[in-house]
Amino acid sequence: MEYEVIIGLEVHVQLNTESKIFSTATNEFGGSPNTHISTLCLALPGTLPVLNEVVLEKAVRAGLALGCEITQFTKFDRKNYFYPDLPKGYQISQYDKPYATKGGIHVKWKGQETEKFIPLTRIHMEEDAGKLIHSHDSSINRSYVDYNRAGTPLIEIVSEPEIRSSDEAYAYLNELKTLLRYVQVSDCNMEEGSLRCDANVSIRPKGEKGFRTRVEIKNLNSFKAVKQAIDYEVEWQKDMYARGETFKQMTKLWDAALLKTIPMRSKEMSHDYRYFPEPDLPALVITDQYIDDIRRHLPELPRAKKERYIKELGLPEYDAEVLTSEREIAEYFEKALSISKDAKKTSNWVKDEVLGIVNKESISISEFSVGPERIGKLVDLINRGEISGKIAKTVFEEMLQSKDDPESIVETKGLKVVRDDKAIEEIVNRVLETQQESIEAWANGKDRALGAIVGAVMKETKGKADPKIVNEMILAKIGPLGSKKQ
Ligand code: ADP
Ligand code: MG
């Protein structure tokens, strides 16, 4: 039986605001337990929430970057459940009036020629819960609670069940992360939990209309885990149907060590949460002017940027893809280009040399010691014929060791292209005396012999001679190809 895979993703993203969503407690990852908290995070009696306006601004920015419609009238609701990491006994979330709806993400994955549009259902704002820390290191098992994370602003991005494979899911997450990082609302670091993803998975026989029972998978700690868990779950469901069995809608946990999904509980329904409007927060009216203001300040998004690099700068698609993969990389490239005025050469330097080191050292491009200005100037030196491409590599090595400009490195190390004909001629003469064999070969019609002679001269000049001059000079001295052949 051939099955079609149906996937919908629910992604929680922590917003990088300075303070929490409803209090002035600091919003920071890590720190000793219970040091980033306020009375509100602990739900002490008498405390009341006040919406941090930066949360709304960042949430709207994210919504616009994802092509959503922003809801004019939106409100908060209480989602009730009991767990020690949630001292109020309810989470402030949004139920029937999420602040953003629709929108979607264009994705492309390996082996795929054209983009696919994955529509979103909604995005809503909510607060994060605290964390339980279980200790097993003494004879007594204890659990501790850390409220540092309680009240961290979150947006939950819910996709339509339009994802059809684990590769698609992987590409969707990557694109989502890229977009949210571009608009600087979150670093989307899965290891630190600033992006978390639950995957809803079901399958149905090819051609069948309507959806079958789905399983929701939690505890996915990396994009790779999302892919593995989906693949595992699809096989599990196929196996169930093959044996003629059915299963209930449920929540499972991904076990990254065992590489399998493990049932956790039967799926709770929304009525289990007894949602009702949050009485301590006013409803929000988001005006068009507010939305337009944020829209106007959005940066150029990666897809548009990539298009422009291909169409206006004439870069190959691969280059455009690499350079726009992170906003910081694109900004670095554009800064360098504004000096060099040569898109392809600058692209080569940024994607090969600069990113080569940045990736090897696992740093971000903004931490790289050679800034875009110096790369721009270096490319300019090559284009003005001041140095050869080979010498440029030497200059780059020098730049890594110092703060000097490429120009001054070329000057102090004497790396400038030698155009002084006399000096070059002297070297050519000297080298030709040692190249009798190649000169013979050239005269006998072996065209490759010229390369050997030019190479020998360039080596002698340490790559500094203008290759064009060297070529002309040698030809003038050794005569035309195959002169002895007749
Ligand atoms: P809940 O709030 O109970 O988790 P939702 O209706 O909000 O339920 O759906 C959550 C996610 O599940 C969405 O991303 C949606 O696309 C996805 N989903 C819904 N039905 C299915 C299905 N049959 N198979 C796979 N995913 C599904
Ligand atoms: Mg859900």
Side-chain angles (χ1 to χ4, degrees):
M1 173 88 70
E2 249 208 277
Y3 285 98
E4 185 178 26
V5 177
I6 314 284
I7 302 160
L9 297 179
E10 293 168 274
V11 177
H12 286 90
V13 172
Q14 290 181 336
L15 300 179
N16 56 8
T17 54
E18 278 173 26
S19 52
K20 291 188 177 174
I21 182 167
F22 300 120
S23 80
T24 54
T26 41
N27 174 28
E28 233 178 86
F29 177 78
S32 301
N34 301 308
T35 53
H36 296 293
I37 55 171
S38 65
T39 49
L40 190 100
C41 305
L42 301 175
L44 295 188
T47 54
L48 288 169
V50 176
L51 177 64
N52 174 353
E53 63 174 320
V54 184
V55 169
L56 182 66
E57 184 202 315
K58 295 213 176 207
V60 169
R61 187 130 47 95
L64 293 177
L66 298 173
C68 294
E69 286 173 17
I70 305 300
T71 316
Q72 288 214 320
F73 180 89
T74 182
K75 67 177 175 70
F76 289 98
D77 299 279
R78 289 187 182 180
K79 179 179 180 178
N80 299 278
Y81 66 90
F82 292 99
Y83 205 65
D85 66 7
L86 189 70
K88 294 195 300 301
Y90 58 84
Q91 176 192 30
I92 303 180
S93 181
Q94 297 196 282
Y95 183 50
D96 56 342
K97 291 271 180 219
Y99 83 92
T101 58
K102 302 188 181 151
I105 301 176
H106 296 270
V107 298
K108 211 170 151 185
W109 58 99
K110 61 173 192 289
Q112 186 71 11
E113 278 297 309
T114 51
E115 281 180 336
K116 176 176 170 183
F117 182 72
I118 310 285
L120 300 181
T121 314
R122 59 185 276 164
I123 313 179
H124 64 256
M125 293 177 275
E126 61 187 23
E127 58 179 340
D128 211 340
K131 239 185 208 169
L132 288 187
I133 301 164
H134 306 287
S135 145
H136 307 287
D137 52 23
S138 67
S139 52
I140 321 156
N141 283 343
R142 282 173 192 246
S143 289
Y144 301 88
V145 66
D146 175 8
Y147 290 115
N148 280 349
R149 203 179 67 176
T152 295
L154 292 178
I155 51 174
E156 179 175 341
I157 302 147
V158 183
S159 87
E160 288 284 295
E162 292 287 336
I163 299 169
R164 290 289 173 271
S165 70
S166 58
D167 280 338
E168 256 179 72
Y170 191 90
Y172 170 91
L173 288 172
N174 259 319
E175 199 54 39
L176 178 62
K177 176 175 173 173
T178 302
L179 276 164
L180 295 178
R181 287 175 59 97
Y182 253 76
V183 295
Q184 293 169 333
V185 301
S186 175
D187 60 9
C188 295
N189 181 341
M190 236 180 160
E191 271 110 68
E192 293 185 357
S194 59
L195 185 150
R196 307 197 289 272
C197 171
D198 301 338
N200 294 270
V201 181
S202 69
I203 60 173
R204 66 181 173 195
K206 271 234 158 79
E208 184 174 293
K209 298 261 179 288
F211 293 141
R212 294 195 170 191
T213 308
R214 72 178 199 255
V215 166
E216 179 170 352
I217 310 166
K218 293 186 177 289
N219 199 34
L220 298 165
N221 293 323
S222 64
F223 288 2
K224 190 171 146 220
V226 174
K227 191 166 147 43
Q228 289 173 323
I230 291 171
D231 289 339
Y232 178 89
E233 181 58 30
V234 166
E235 289 311 310
W236 183 86
Q237 292 184 15
K238 277 185 188 167
D239 198 47
M240 291 296 279
Y241 291 136
R243 284 188 280 135
E245 290 181 43
T246 55
F247 52 92
K248 287 229 167 68
Q249 188 173 327
M250 66 181 128
T251 302
K252 289 186 179 180
L253 289 183
W254 173 246
D255 188 320
L258 296 177
L259 293 177
K260 57 204 273 192
T261 52
I262 294 163
M264 178 170 84
R265 56 168 189 246
S266 67
K267 169 82 190 160
E268 60 293 296
M269 295 292 162
S270 65
H271 61 249
D272 294 331
Y273 290 124
R274 298 179 298 115
Y275 276 103
F276 63 86
E278 167 59 60
D280 291 337
L281 285 165
L284 294 171
V285 176
I286 307 179
T287 63
D288 286 343
Q289 198 200 331
Y290 182 86
I291 298 166
D292 286 346
D293 231 35
I294 294 175
R295 199 192 301 277
R296 259 205 318 274
H297 290 98
L298 281 181
E300 184 180 29
L301 297 176
R303 208 158 154 266
K305 213 183 245 310
K306 192 178 147 194
E307 263 312 280
R308 182 167 66 82
Y309 283 10
I310 295 171
K311 291 230 170 86
E312 285 176 26
L313 302 181
L315 288 178
E317 186 176 349
Y318 176 76
D319 292 45
E321 181 95 43
V322 173
L323 296 174
T324 58
S325 62
E326 291 271 350
R327 179 169 167 180
E328 283 182 335
I329 296 173
E331 279 171 357
Y332 186 102
F333 165 72
E334 286 175 25
K335 187 89 218 241
L337 177 61
S338 71
I339 296 165
S340 75
K341 312 274 192 266
D342 182 326
K344 183 55 185 151
K345 258 199 204 115
T346 308
S347 166
N348 287 346
W349 275 88
V350 173
K351 86 180 157 45
D352 300 336
E353 308 301 329
V354 174
L355 290 183
I357 297 174
V358 163
N359 292 338
K360 201 171 93 204
E361 293 184 359
S362 298
I363 54 173
S364 88
I365 198 164
S366 52
E367 293 167 305
F368 183 50
S369 66
V370 179
E373 294 84 1
R374 288 205 282 168
I375 292 294
K377 285 180 188 165
L378 184 65
V379 173
D380 185 49
L381 284 178
I382 303 170
N383 279 352
R384 282 195 283 131
E386 297 281 324
I387 53 172
S388 65
K390 195 159 162 247
I391 289 293
K393 298 256 157 88
T394 312
V395 177
F396 181 64
E397 294 294 325
E398 288 292 329
M399 289 199 290
L400 292 173
Q401 311 300 328
S402 73
K403 290 200 163 22
D404 296 341
D405 257 19
E407 201 129 37
S408 71
I409 291 171
V410 167
E411 206 61 57
T412 52
K413 301 260 163 182
L415 296 171
K416 233 190 198 131
V417 163
V418 179
R419 287 217 197 75
D420 173 351
D421 289 5
K422 266 229 180 77
I424 298 176
E425 185 165 17
E426 212 171 279
I427 294 172
V428 168
N429 285 339
R430 190 146 31 88
V431 169
L432 282 182
E433 272 169 38
T434 68
Q435 293 288 322
Q436 288 311 319
E437 241 173 80
S438 294
I439 296 171
E440 271 298 302
W442 173 258
N444 282 314
K446 287 233 169 65
D447 60 353
R448 271 189 310 180
L450 180 62
I453 303 171
V454 173
V457 172
M458 290 307 289
K459 192 171 167 206
E460 194 62 25
T461 66
K462 302 204 172 61
K464 287 187 297 184
D466 186 333
K468 207 168 140 239
I469 300 178
V470 169
N471 240 298
E472 282 165 7
M473 213 175 262
I474 292 172
L475 276 177
K477 286 176 194 285
I478 64 176
L481 175 68
S483 60
K484 280 198 187 163
K485 239 178 146 183
Q486 301 85 338

